[in-house]
Amino acid sequence: MSRGGRERPDSRPLHLQLPAILIVMGGGALGTLCRYLLNTAIPTPDGWPLPTLIINLGGAFALGLLLEALARRGPDVGARRTLRLLAGTGFLGAFTTYSTLALDANLLLAADRIADAVAFMLVSAIGGLVTGAAGVWVAAARRAAVGPENAAGAETDLK
């Protein structure tokens, strides 16, 4: 604690630190905008929620890629933490849209398209796991391909 009985900002949990909150909010604003633009650009064939599926699967892949790449570069501090908060929690958290997944599934169910709703939910859930794992795998494979001789240089890029 500092003078006056107040905690130092760096001693509080990250989710209570204003700079971290603002970083997440900035990333979230951009992620929401990108989701909206993609959602309006991708067609919905026969009312099937293809935009939601593509956005969520792409976001799961990107999150797996990002988190694995950051984890392999070192501890969650400094620029790595800022990037994780901005791109992972903020941008990808707002870009992916599981509330819209639930709404789209509900709309399919309300239209008596039960098979479509079940298929949509299964493809979304299983596909999210698979594409997230694929992102992790790609980041790990890329890191292995860089090799230890270039690893130090790559680590300093994010410090």
Side-chain angles (χ1 to χ4, degrees):
M1 300 240 282
S2 65
R3 288 180 288 165
R6 298 178 67 177
E7 287 186 342
R8 291 179 308 173
D10 57 48
S11 67
R12 292 179 295 158
L14 187 59
H15 69 278
L16 296 177
Q17 296 178 28
L18 184 59
I21 293 168
L22 294 174
I23 290 167
V24 171
M25 287 174 60
L30 292 173
T32 300
L33 176 62
C34 288
R35 174 173 31 102
Y36 170 78
L37 293 172
L38 272 176
N39 196 51
T40 58
I42 300 170
T44 55
D46 193 27
W48 207 83
L50 184 62
T52 302
L53 181 66
I54 290 172
I55 288 166
N56 285 342
L57 296 183
F61 177 84
L63 187 60
L65 187 73
L66 173 71
L67 293 181
E68 179 67 13
L70 290 175
R72 288 182 176 268
R73 283 188 164 79
D76 185 41
V77 295
R80 283 186 293 277
R81 176 177 285 171
T82 300
L83 184 57
R84 177 181 60 81
L85 291 173
L86 180 69
T89 306
F91 182 88
L92 291 170
F95 180 71
T96 57
T97 171
Y98 283 96
S99 58
T100 304
L101 179 145
L103 175 64
D104 287 343
N106 189 49
L107 291 173
L108 289 170
L109 289 170
D112 289 328
R113 297 176 63 181
I114 296 169
D116 284 341
V118 170
F120 174 64
M121 289 185 290
L122 285 173
V123 169
S124 294
I126 295 168
L129 290 171
V130 169
T131 55
V136 168
W137 181 83
V138 168
R142 184 187 181 290
R143 187 71 174 162
V146 168
E149 65 278 356
N150 294 329
E155 285 179 15
T156 57
D157 291 345
L158 288 175
K159 287 186 180 177

